[in-house]
Short mmCIF file of all heavy atoms in Angstrom, two decimals:
data_model
loop_
_atom_site.label_atom_id
_atom_site.label_comp_id
_atom_site.label_asym_id
_atom_site.label_seq_id
_atom_site.Cartn_x
_atom_site.Cartn_y
_atom_site.Cartn_z
N GLY A 131 -158.66 29.99 -7.63
CA GLY A 131 -160.08 30.06 -7.78
C GLY A 131 -160.95 29.06 -7.09
O GLY A 131 -161.60 28.31 -7.74
N PHE A 191 -156.29 18.30 -4.75
CA PHE A 191 -157.02 17.16 -5.37
C PHE A 191 -157.14 17.37 -6.83
O PHE A 191 -157.48 18.47 -7.42
CB PHE A 191 -158.37 17.02 -4.77
CG PHE A 191 -158.47 16.62 -3.31
CD1 PHE A 191 -158.67 17.70 -2.39
CD2 PHE A 191 -158.11 15.34 -2.92
CE1 PHE A 191 -158.65 17.33 -0.99
CE2 PHE A 191 -158.08 15.05 -1.56
CZ PHE A 191 -158.26 16.06 -0.58
N SER A 198 -164.09 20.04 -3.78
CA SER A 198 -165.24 20.74 -3.17
C SER A 198 -165.62 20.09 -1.87
O SER A 198 -165.93 20.85 -0.93
CB SER A 198 -166.39 20.56 -4.23
OG SER A 198 -167.54 21.09 -3.64
N TRP A 202 -165.48 22.37 1.71
CA TRP A 202 -166.60 22.65 2.73
C TRP A 202 -166.23 22.33 4.14
O TRP A 202 -166.86 22.80 5.11
CB TRP A 202 -167.88 21.87 2.23
CG TRP A 202 -168.45 22.48 1.08
CD1 TRP A 202 -168.59 21.92 -0.23
CD2 TRP A 202 -169.05 23.87 0.87
NE1 TRP A 202 -169.18 22.83 -1.04
CE2 TRP A 202 -169.44 24.07 -0.44
CE3 TRP A 202 -169.01 24.94 1.80
CZ2 TRP A 202 -169.88 25.30 -0.93
CZ3 TRP A 202 -169.53 26.18 1.28
CH2 TRP A 202 -170.04 26.31 -0.05
N TYR A 260 -175.26 17.87 -1.65
CA TYR A 260 -176.32 17.22 -2.40
C TYR A 260 -175.92 17.04 -3.81
O TYR A 260 -176.27 16.04 -4.40
CB TYR A 260 -177.57 18.35 -2.44
CG TYR A 260 -178.23 18.61 -1.09
CD1 TYR A 260 -178.89 19.80 -1.05
CD2 TYR A 260 -178.07 17.73 -0.05
CE1 TYR A 260 -179.59 20.03 0.10
CE2 TYR A 260 -178.90 17.97 1.06
CZ TYR A 260 -179.55 19.22 1.26
OH TYR A 260 -180.17 19.48 2.44
N GLY A 265 -172.91 10.42 -2.90
CA GLY A 265 -174.26 9.60 -2.94
C GLY A 265 -175.39 10.40 -2.32
O GLY A 265 -175.32 11.46 -1.74
N TRP A 268 -176.54 11.76 1.47
CA TRP A 268 -176.37 13.22 1.90
C TRP A 268 -177.51 14.05 1.74
O TRP A 268 -177.72 14.92 2.48
CB TRP A 268 -175.11 13.86 1.28
CG TRP A 268 -173.78 13.28 1.61
CD1 TRP A 268 -173.00 12.39 0.88
CD2 TRP A 268 -173.17 13.38 3.00
NE1 TRP A 268 -171.95 12.15 1.64
CE2 TRP A 268 -171.94 12.59 2.80
CE3 TRP A 268 -173.46 14.02 4.03
CZ2 TRP A 268 -170.95 12.69 3.83
CZ3 TRP A 268 -172.47 13.97 5.04
CH2 TRP A 268 -171.32 13.35 5.00
N HIS A 338 -179.96 26.31 -5.76
CA HIS A 338 -178.51 26.14 -5.58
C HIS A 338 -177.73 26.94 -6.66
O HIS A 338 -178.10 26.77 -7.85
CB HIS A 338 -178.27 24.62 -5.66
CG HIS A 338 -176.75 24.25 -5.63
ND1 HIS A 338 -175.86 24.77 -4.62
CD2 HIS A 338 -176.05 23.37 -6.34
CE1 HIS A 338 -174.75 24.15 -4.80
NE2 HIS A 338 -174.69 23.41 -5.71
N LYS A 412 -186.93 27.32 -13.62
CA LYS A 412 -188.33 26.61 -13.68
C LYS A 412 -188.88 26.86 -15.15
O LYS A 412 -189.34 25.80 -15.75
CB LYS A 412 -189.29 27.13 -12.78
CG LYS A 412 -188.95 27.02 -11.28
CD LYS A 412 -189.18 25.60 -10.77
CE LYS A 412 -190.56 25.28 -10.36
NZ LYS A 412 -190.74 23.97 -9.89
N SER B 37 -168.36 7.84 1.27
CA SER B 37 -168.58 8.57 0.02
C SER B 37 -167.26 8.66 -0.69
O SER B 37 -167.28 8.45 -1.96
CB SER B 37 -168.95 10.02 0.41
OG SER B 37 -170.26 10.06 0.90
N GLU B 41 -168.15 5.94 -3.51
CA GLU B 41 -168.99 6.63 -4.47
C GLU B 41 -168.30 7.52 -5.50
O GLU B 41 -168.58 7.50 -6.56
CB GLU B 41 -170.02 7.52 -3.62
CG GLU B 41 -171.00 6.70 -2.78
CD GLU B 41 -171.73 7.46 -1.71
OE1 GLU B 41 -171.45 8.73 -1.52
OE2 GLU B 41 -172.52 6.96 -1.01
N LYS B 59 -158.34 21.76 -15.01
CA LYS B 59 -158.89 22.11 -13.55
C LYS B 59 -157.85 23.18 -13.01
O LYS B 59 -158.22 24.14 -12.50
CB LYS B 59 -158.94 20.96 -12.68
CG LYS B 59 -159.26 21.31 -11.25
CD LYS B 59 -159.40 20.12 -10.39
CE LYS B 59 -159.71 20.46 -8.96
NZ LYS B 59 -158.55 20.88 -8.08
N GLU B 63 -158.89 27.11 -11.85
CA GLU B 63 -158.49 27.61 -10.64
C GLU B 63 -157.59 28.83 -10.78
O GLU B 63 -157.83 29.93 -10.19
CB GLU B 63 -157.85 26.72 -9.66
CG GLU B 63 -158.88 25.73 -9.17
CD GLU B 63 -158.32 24.72 -8.13
OE1 GLU B 63 -157.07 24.86 -7.66
OE2 GLU B 63 -158.97 23.66 -7.82
N LYS B 64 -156.52 28.72 -11.65
CA LYS B 64 -155.60 29.74 -11.80
C LYS B 64 -156.26 31.01 -12.32
O LYS B 64 -155.68 32.12 -11.95
CB LYS B 64 -154.54 29.28 -12.85
CG LYS B 64 -153.22 29.89 -12.77
CD LYS B 64 -152.25 29.21 -13.79
CE LYS B 64 -151.15 30.33 -14.15
NZ LYS B 64 -150.52 29.74 -15.32
N MET B 74 -171.10 23.00 -10.68
CA MET B 74 -171.87 22.23 -9.72
C MET B 74 -172.53 23.04 -8.85
O MET B 74 -172.76 22.76 -7.59
CB MET B 74 -170.72 21.26 -8.92
CG MET B 74 -169.93 20.34 -9.77
SD MET B 74 -169.12 19.08 -8.95
CE MET B 74 -168.06 19.96 -7.65
N GLU B 76 -171.53 25.87 -7.56
CA GLU B 76 -170.68 26.53 -6.65
C GLU B 76 -169.89 27.67 -7.23
O GLU B 76 -169.25 27.40 -8.32
CB GLU B 76 -169.73 25.51 -6.02
CG GLU B 76 -170.43 24.50 -5.19
CD GLU B 76 -169.47 23.47 -4.60
OE1 GLU B 76 -168.42 23.37 -5.07
OE2 GLU B 76 -170.00 22.77 -3.68
N ASN B 139 -176.73 13.80 -8.84
CA ASN B 139 -178.28 13.62 -8.25
C ASN B 139 -179.20 14.41 -8.88
O ASN B 139 -180.08 15.00 -8.27
CB ASN B 139 -178.03 13.91 -6.67
CG ASN B 139 -177.37 12.82 -6.01
OD1 ASN B 139 -177.35 11.67 -6.31
ND2 ASN B 139 -176.79 13.24 -4.75
N LEU B 147 -191.32 24.01 -16.01
CA LEU B 147 -192.53 24.78 -16.50
C LEU B 147 -192.25 25.13 -18.04
O LEU B 147 -193.01 25.93 -18.58
CB LEU B 147 -192.63 26.04 -15.58
CG LEU B 147 -192.91 25.84 -14.13
CD1 LEU B 147 -193.15 27.16 -13.34
CD2 LEU B 147 -194.19 25.06 -14.01
#
Side-chain angles (χ1 to χ4, degrees):
Chain A
F191 294 102
S198 177
W202 289 117
Y260 293 160
W268 292 106
H338 181 47
K412 300 285 276 183
Chain B
S37 288
E41 294 165 358
K59 180 178 180 277
E63 287 183 10
K64 206 175 152 191
M74 304 193 304
E76 295 175 347
N139 289 332
L147 299 179

